[in-house]
Amino acid sequence: GRIYVTNGGKLIIDEKNKKVSVTKGSIAIKYYRKRVGDKVLEETVADNIWDDIPGMGFVSGEWLGYPTQKPVGLLERITGHLPMKVISSLTFSAAPVQPE
């Protein structure tokens, strides 16, 4: 499983006193399991390697209500830190091409 802290908290490991605590939220474990026949298999999932970019749940000021919306920080990382003004001018059409 994957250990994580809910509600945007941070995990604090005190090695001297051998204690683990959080700044807020609680410690949880996410398991990725599936049943195959009479067995339960645990899958290994690629972790978030960009943990410095908060998800939409933590940057609600950016939320516009689109189900596939991504945080500005992620878009800037993917586009090489282009200003959002430039990105917004790049539009792509999903309309099918009509044959002539």
Side-chain angles (χ1 to χ4, degrees):
R2 177 176 180 247
I3 297 173
Y4 67 98
V5 180
T6 63
N7 298 327
K10 299 283 185 198
L11 186 66
I12 300 170
I13 300 173
D14 182 353
E15 291 183 22
K16 180 180 175 187
N17 296 314
K18 298 186 187 235
K19 292 185 179 185
V20 176
S21 61
V22 293
T23 55
K24 69 177 181 175
S26 60
I27 299 172
I29 300 175
K30 174 69 176 172
Y31 291 101
Y32 300 93
R33 295 180 177 160
K34 66 180 178 180
R35 184 174 292 278
V36 178
D38 62 342
K39 298 182 176 148
V40 176
L41 300 178
E42 186 167 323
E43 299 175 350
T44 302
V45 178
D47 202 358
N48 181 3
I49 60 171
W50 290 345
D51 58 2
D52 58 319
I53 300 172
M56 287 307 301
F58 301 108
V59 288
S60 58
E62 293 181 15
W63 177 247
L64 300 175
Y66 297 102
T68 59
Q69 182 179 342
K70 305 298 181 259
V72 171
L74 177 61
L75 297 174
E76 289 175 345
R77 175 76 54 88
I78 291 170
T79 59
H81 300 282
L82 289 173
M84 286 307 296
K85 185 176 183 180
V86 173
I87 293 170
S88 64
S89 68
L90 301 172
T91 58
F92 302 95
S93 174
V97 176
Q98 297 294 324
E100 294 184 25

